[in-house]
Amino acid sequence: MQLVVARVGRAHGIKGEVTVEVRTDEPELRLPPGAVLATDPATAGPLTIETGRVHSGRLLLRFEGVRDRTGAEALRNVLLIADVDPEEMPEGEDEYYDHQLMDLDVVLVDGTEVGRITEISHLPSQDLFVVERPDGSEVYIPFVQEIVVEIDLEEQRAVIDPPPGLIDDQVARDEVADGHSASSRDDEDSSGADV
């Protein structure tokens, strides 16, 4: 399976280094010296990482064969793609790769169907599951231990125990926004969740 692990940013200095926007939780595993990465567009690669270092909080990479600023600038906005074994699990307990969570069925603790995970949104404060309901509407479920109580990859499901109102309030807000309801609501989220 191929996963995007970084996007090349601008050139840094005059010796071919580039900044990268890291899109993996494990850059030390996916972006070490010697790693050969496919690219999008494919014509830019494959690229082999020659060196990597952190400078002012940003990861800088230099690729084999790229020796000057012009060569580095030519790689700007190229996506770096790593081959990942679909069975591979992250090192940390209770950690998952996005591709492992996509399309999981979401159910309440009592087995009630909520929907299917269609996207994982990575926000600064927390990750959110974007869950498509059977009626086509979407709800946002914070991916926190207090709410997502079990991930069962064998059964392909996520079991949630949301606080009262988290799911129903989102659906009600969507109906109001779409004009399906004549009642008015405060803008305040009664669940207290940041969604």
Side-chain angles (χ1 to χ4, degrees):
M1 167 179 288
Q2 293 194 317
L3 297 176
V4 173
V5 292
R7 182 180 66 82
V8 177
R10 56 183 150 177
H12 179 84
I14 59 171
K15 296 182 179 179
E17 281 186 314
V18 294
T19 62
V20 292
E21 174 190 312
V22 176
R23 295 188 180 177
T24 175
D25 288 339
E26 301 171 316
E28 66 286 344
L29 181 65
R30 306 285 176 222
L31 301 168
V36 179
L37 303 167
T39 60
D40 182 7
T43 54
L47 294 172
T48 302
I49 298 175
E50 185 173 284
T51 63
R53 66 185 177 103
V54 176
H55 175 72
S56 298
R58 294 212 87 160
L59 180 61
L60 303 178
L61 297 178
R62 182 179 6 246
F63 300 104
E64 288 182 6
V66 179
R67 294 283 174 245
D68 59 23
R69 187 173 187 87
T70 303
E73 277 296 335
L75 296 174
R76 191 169 191 167
N77 294 321
V78 167
L79 296 177
L80 303 176
I81 302 167
D83 280 316
V84 177
D85 180 347
E87 301 301 315
E88 182 180 325
M89 294 291 290
E91 291 179 10
E93 188 177 333
D94 292 330
E95 289 184 7
Y96 304 91
Y97 293 126
D98 286 4
H99 71 273
Q100 294 171 310
L101 301 171
M102 292 296 291
D103 293 323
L104 292 185
D105 292 323
V106 178
V107 297
L108 297 177
V109 174
D110 66 7
T112 304
E113 179 185 7
V114 175
R116 178 180 60 85
I117 298 173
T118 57
E119 184 181 338
I120 292 104
S121 180
H122 299 282
L123 304 177
S125 59
Q126 67 191 9
D127 295 338
L128 291 176
F129 290 159
V130 179
V131 177
E132 183 177 312
R133 307 276 310 232
D135 65 4
S137 64
E138 290 182 337
V139 292
Y140 303 96
I141 308 295
F143 186 24
V144 294
Q145 195 169 23
E146 295 79 20
I147 296 173
V148 180
V149 296
E150 180 186 359
I151 298 289
D152 187 337
L153 295 179
E154 283 187 22
E155 293 293 323
Q156 286 291 288
R157 68 179 187 171
V159 180
I160 64 170
D161 188 13
L166 177 66
I167 294 173
D168 296 333
D169 281 0
Q170 288 183 49
V171 173
R173 276 198 307 274
D174 289 345
E175 288 175 355
V176 169
D178 291 341
H180 297 309
S181 173
S183 63
S184 64
R185 294 185 55 86
D186 293 331
D187 288 335
E188 219 175 316
D189 180 9
S190 62
S191 70
D194 293 331
V195 291

